[in-house]
Amino acid sequence: MRRLFPVTHETAAQAPDEGAEGEGVSGVRGGPGGPVGPGDTVAPGGRDALDGREWSLAELAAAYAYPASACPEPASSSATGSDSGSDSGSASGSDSGSATGSGSGPTSDSGSASDLGSRSGAGAGAVRPWLRANMVSTLDGAAQHDGRSQPISCAADMRIFGTLRALADVVLVGAETVRQEGYRPARARAEFAAAREAAGQAPAPAVAIVTAGLELDFSLPLFTSPLVPTILLTGAAAPADRVVAAERAGARVIVAGEGSGVDPARAVSALAGLGYTRQLTEGGPRLLGQLVAAGVLDELCLTLSPMLTAGDAQRIAGGPSVAVPRRFELVSLLEEDGFLFGRYRRS
């Protein structure tokens, strides 16, 4: 894997007068490709020392680390509850976040966009939720082929996919994507066990499903054998019988919207109230479109696949367009076997 931005041996060769200070050359401080400062070591010729080989999982984790503002101190993380790594943000309803309830019915969340802090800049020093999306697209804009994303992915994409999950507290996903992609519970990975424990996280991220009708198969492993109980985010008008069935299956149901729909800002706030501040969404396109329209998406990790599919496949985000296009800035760009892995943050 090669780092194309910020900095590569190619861009360094075009700007030999920039020297080692600033961002003119790629070094190894703080993980792959960090900005080079005085005293940092650069490989001969300005070439990134991590170019041309498979990056370790630790290096990928450093490259995709969440901002410090989204990372609570382990002792105060309500998502893990204890040093044993067990999860207390589950069906017990014992968390002290913005979502309240006894666990004997759907939890009602009264949060709003103003509760998020990171949107308004309020509460300096407070832990703020950070929502990133991870999506893949072909050159002609298809987010899927034959209804699934796997055919347009690759091995390096799956390594980044796994790393992003390993860094997250919760994976937010739409119900249709759960059905189409055959979602299973997030698994604990030995390579990340020590880092997650040190960060005060559960052994694996929770999966939170956005669903209006709760039309899901509760006999699937996602509900019968997750390491962390699965969360269902729904509206106040969700069918009562489906809510009961979900809770009997061990899922936690949280009301995060009026009527049958889910308000994206309330969903982000509800998850943060459970201690899940490092948030990751894997779509699908309709859910991502809703998050974009609501202005709650902080970061997009986009894999550009060197493939053409034609057809009428969905884009990575669907639904109504926003009045003014959302502007994101490029943070980093990696490449392997023609696949581009971009990381964009909201400007």
Side-chain angles (χ1 to χ4, degrees):
M1 181 171 285
R2 298 185 302 148
R3 179 179 294 277
L4 302 182
F5 179 87
V7 216
T8 70
H9 62 287
E10 295 157 357
T11 56
Q14 296 170 5
D17 295 331
E18 289 187 11
E21 296 189 25
E23 297 184 353
V25 185
S26 183
V28 294
R29 173 209 262 165
V36 176
D40 287 334
T41 301
V42 180
R47 182 179 177 85
D48 191 331
L50 297 173
D51 267 359
R53 65 171 176 82
E54 184 177 273
W55 289 14
S56 71
L57 293 177
E59 289 162 349
L60 284 175
Y64 284 94
Y66 278 86
S69 60
C71 303
E73 292 294 327
S76 62
S77 173
S78 61
T80 54
S82 71
D83 292 337
S84 66
S86 61
D87 175 71
S88 62
S90 60
S92 65
S94 61
D95 62 88
S96 58
S98 62
T100 58
S102 63
S104 58
T107 300
S108 177
D109 172 71
S110 59
S112 64
S114 62
D115 295 323
L116 301 183
S118 62
R119 321 300 176 212
S120 64
V127 177
R128 301 163 182 170
W130 183 270
L131 176 62
R132 68 165 37 138
N134 182 32
M135 302 292 285
V136 59
S137 171
T138 63
L139 295 176
D140 52 349
Q144 306 160 340
H145 184 64
D146 288 339
R148 300 179 64 240
S149 60
Q150 189 276 332
I152 62 173
S153 181
C154 68
D157 183 44
M158 295 310 299
R159 282 172 62 81
I160 291 176
F161 175 92
T163 299
L164 294 180
R165 278 196 163 200
L167 294 172
D169 297 323
V170 63
V171 177
L172 181 65
V173 65
E176 185 61 22
T177 297
V178 168
R179 289 187 284 263
Q180 288 187 354
E181 300 280 354
Y183 259 61
R184 298 181 63 84
R187 61 188 178 91
R189 300 183 61 183
E191 303 94 332
F192 293 98
R196 288 189 67 88
E197 182 177 5
Q201 295 175 294
V207 174
I209 306 170
V210 175
T211 172
L214 284 76
E215 292 298 329
L216 297 159
D217 183 353
F218 297 129
S219 68
L220 294 176
L222 189 57
F223 301 99
T224 61
S225 58
L227 284 174
V228 182
T230 296
I231 299 169
L232 299 180
L233 296 161
T234 191
D241 61 329
R242 298 303 295 168
V243 171
V244 171
E247 292 177 334
R248 285 177 176 170
R252 178 167 192 170
V253 180
I254 296 179
V255 174
E258 304 303 324
S260 60
V262 172
D263 179 276
R266 286 180 62 176
V268 171
S269 179
L271 293 174
L274 298 177
Y276 300 134
T277 52
R278 289 159 285 207
Q279 301 176 4
L280 169 68
T281 181
E282 296 170 353
R286 184 169 64 174
L287 174 59
L288 182 57
Q290 293 170 347
L291 297 171
V292 170
V296 296
L297 186 69
D298 296 296
E299 180 179 330
L300 173 64
C301 297
L302 177 64
T303 297
L304 184 61
S305 170
M307 300 181 189
L308 295 169
T309 63
D312 56 359
Q314 290 179 295
R315 300 160 49 200
I316 65 167
S321 63
V322 297
V324 179
R326 308 290 187 193
R327 181 63 186 265
F328 279 61
E329 62 180 355
L330 180 64
V331 177
S332 68
L333 185 63
L334 310 178
E335 183 274 338
E336 184 167 311
D337 294 332
F339 284 79
L340 297 178
F341 307 95
R343 186 179 179 189
Y344 299 83
R345 288 183 180 175
R346 180 165 48 179
S347 298

